[in-house]
Amino acid sequence: PVIPGSKPSKIIARSAILAETNRISIETPRLHGSIALTGGRIDDLTLIDYQETLDPNSPEIILLSPKKSAKAYYAQFGWVGSGGIKVPDQETVWNGNRTTLTPEKPVTLIWDNKEGLIFKRTFSIDNDFMFQITQSVHNSSAKQVALNAYSFVSRRGIPETTGFYILHEGLLGVSEGTLSEVDYDDLKDQGQIKQNARGGWIGITDKYWLTALIPNQNENVQSRFLHHNQGPDDKFQIDFLGPQKIVSAGGTISAESYFFAGAKEALLLDAYEENLAVKRFDLAIDFGWFYFLTKPIFYAL
């Protein structure tokens, strides 16, 4: 199966997209933002605790932006199938069961493909930066269906980086306990990098901020770093494809994953590593070659 990716689009002002599209708002102690009902994607996030300048009244850091904006950066989830199965895509319009996502109240999106399959996508979020996404499919048709769940993060353009040689900014991930770091320019040369592994995680890191996809740690997944150029834009994508699941006639299947979007706070990353059993999630912070020394020194300081 081919994991969907970004398509060429006309650039529209971020504020205009947010004002003109139907959305589920996100309200947590540390995040403001929204989920687009078209596509069912997380594409609007700002960080409450971090501002653009030292002035506490300056605008919140913008982390994610909608698909057609100049600095598009968003997370998409879904299913791929074979045999002409009609699955939700980036233009599918979902119905939500409430208007606001909070740590206390998850949101469920629903879409009926009118061919016997009902898709649900439930978003939960904690008090910090971790989303849990539960996707399910109920089959009311008379035949079984095979589907694979996927998640991807797409980013338009190469962001401004510090260019500091000991600090990695770009794509990264842990597969079978081993950290991989890929620079934007290197990925442009290679086009894509694929891996097959059990669990792990993949992400895109800035100096201070991170987005990361965390699949089910007990499943074998295909993960990928991808670059493609459309018109004047470079587009970078991280994604993973889960194992095939069979939903029998009258049956239901589900797939769970996590999406981190926020600041690289060491204590918080350590807590997620322990609580979600995500190996080496703390390596989203670039502690360098002497990690075993620099991390303890960091904590001591």
Side-chain angles (χ1 to χ4, degrees), residues 113-183:
N113 78 344
K114 306 299 183 183
E115 296 177 359
L117 299 180
I118 296 176
F119 294 82
K120 292 185 179 181
R121 186 176 298 163
T122 298
F123 295 95
S124 304
I125 190 169
D126 63 11
N127 286 314
D128 293 295
F129 305 127
M130 190 68 78
F131 294 83
Q132 181 177 9
I133 298 92
T134 303
Q135 301 191 83
S136 67
V137 184
H138 177 70
N139 182 9
S140 61
S141 73
K143 61 180 181 179
Q144 70 177 23
V145 173
L147 297 166
N148 299 70
Y150 71 81
S151 299
F152 75 74
V153 173
S154 176
R155 187 173 202 174
R156 183 199 296 267
I158 299 178
E160 183 178 345
T161 62
T162 58
F164 197 30
Y165 73 96
I166 65 169
L167 174 67
H168 174 66
E169 295 176 78
L171 299 90
L172 79 171
V174 168
S175 177
E176 302 293 354
T178 300
L179 174 69
S180 298
E181 296 178 328
V182 182
D183 293 335

Side-chain angles (χ1 to χ4, degrees), residues 293-301:
L293 291 176
T294 54
K295 185 176 180 182
I297 291 171
F298 171 80
Y299 275 127
L301 291 173

Side-chain angles (χ1 to χ4, degrees), residues 6-243:
S6 304
K7 296 180 180 179
S9 58
K10 178 181 178 181
I11 294 177
I12 303 173
R14 184 180 193 276
S15 58
I17 298 174
L18 296 179
E20 295 171 2
T21 52
N22 293 324
R23 297 182 163 270
I24 303 290
S25 63
I26 298 171
E27 295 292 338
T28 82
R30 309 196 69 186
L31 292 173
H32 287 142
S34 58
I35 299 168
L37 284 175
T38 297
R41 54 183 163 262
I42 304 173
D43 65 353
D44 166 33
L45 277 184
T46 63
L47 308 182
I48 294 174
D49 299 328
Y50 299 95
Q51 284 74 41
E52 292 182 359
T53 72
L54 294 177
D55 181 352
N57 295 316
S58 67
E60 296 173 2
I61 289 290
I62 296 173
L63 183 59
L64 300 185
S65 292
K67 178 181 175 183
K68 296 182 180 180
S69 61
K71 296 183 179 180
Y73 193 8
Y74 59 89
Q76 181 78 57
F77 314 90
W79 299 89
V80 294
S82 57
I85 299 170
K86 188 178 179 182
V87 296
D89 59 25
Q90 293 196 59
E91 303 305 320
T92 296
V93 178
W94 295 74
N95 293 311
N97 69 333
R98 54 172 46 97
T99 58
T100 303
L101 169 64
T102 69
E104 296 75 30
K105 295 181 178 180
V107 167
T108 297
L109 308 184
I110 303 173
W111 181 70
D112 186 342
N113 78 344
K114 306 299 183 183
E115 296 177 359
L117 299 180
I118 296 176
F119 294 82
K120 292 185 179 181
R121 186 176 298 163
T122 298
F123 295 95
S124 304
I125 190 169
D126 63 11
N127 286 314
D128 293 295
F129 305 127
M130 190 68 78
F131 294 83
Q132 181 177 9
I133 298 92
T134 303
Q135 301 191 83
S136 67
V137 184
H138 177 70
N139 182 9
S140 61
S141 73
K143 61 180 181 179
Q144 70 177 23
V145 173
L147 297 166
N148 299 70
Y150 71 81
S151 299
F152 75 74
V153 173
S154 176
R155 187 173 202 174
R156 183 199 296 267
I158 299 178
E160 183 178 345
T161 62
T162 58
F164 197 30
Y165 73 96
I166 65 169
L167 174 67
H168 174 66
E169 295 176 78
L171 299 90
L172 79 171
V174 168
S175 177
E176 302 293 354
T178 300
L179 174 69
S180 298
E181 296 178 328
V182 182
D183 293 335
Y184 290 109
D185 288 339
D186 290 341
L187 187 57
K188 285 178 67 174
D189 292 337
Q190 296 185 57
Q192 67 176 341
I193 300 171
K194 297 181 178 180
Q195 291 179 316
N196 294 310
R198 188 176 184 85
W201 60 273
I202 50 176
I204 302 176
T205 183
D206 298 322
K207 183 177 181 180
Y208 300 114
W209 328 121
L210 171 74
T211 60
L213 298 172
I214 303 170
N216 186 319
Q217 296 299 289
N218 297 315
E219 292 182 343
N220 293 320
V221 298
Q222 302 173 39
S223 63
R224 183 175 62 164
F225 301 126
L226 176 68
H227 166 265
H228 49 116
N229 187 286
Q230 298 170 339
D233 284 330
D234 288 302
K235 297 198 177 174
F236 298 90
Q237 181 171 305
I238 56 170
D239 57 50
F240 73 79
L241 185 69

Side-chain angles (χ1 to χ4, degrees), residues 280 282-283 287-299:
R280 311 195 79 180
D282 61 326
L283 293 186
F287 287 105
W289 287 100
F290 299 101
Y291 158 83
F292 59 93
L293 291 176
T294 54
K295 185 176 180 182
I297 291 171
F298 171 80
Y299 275 127

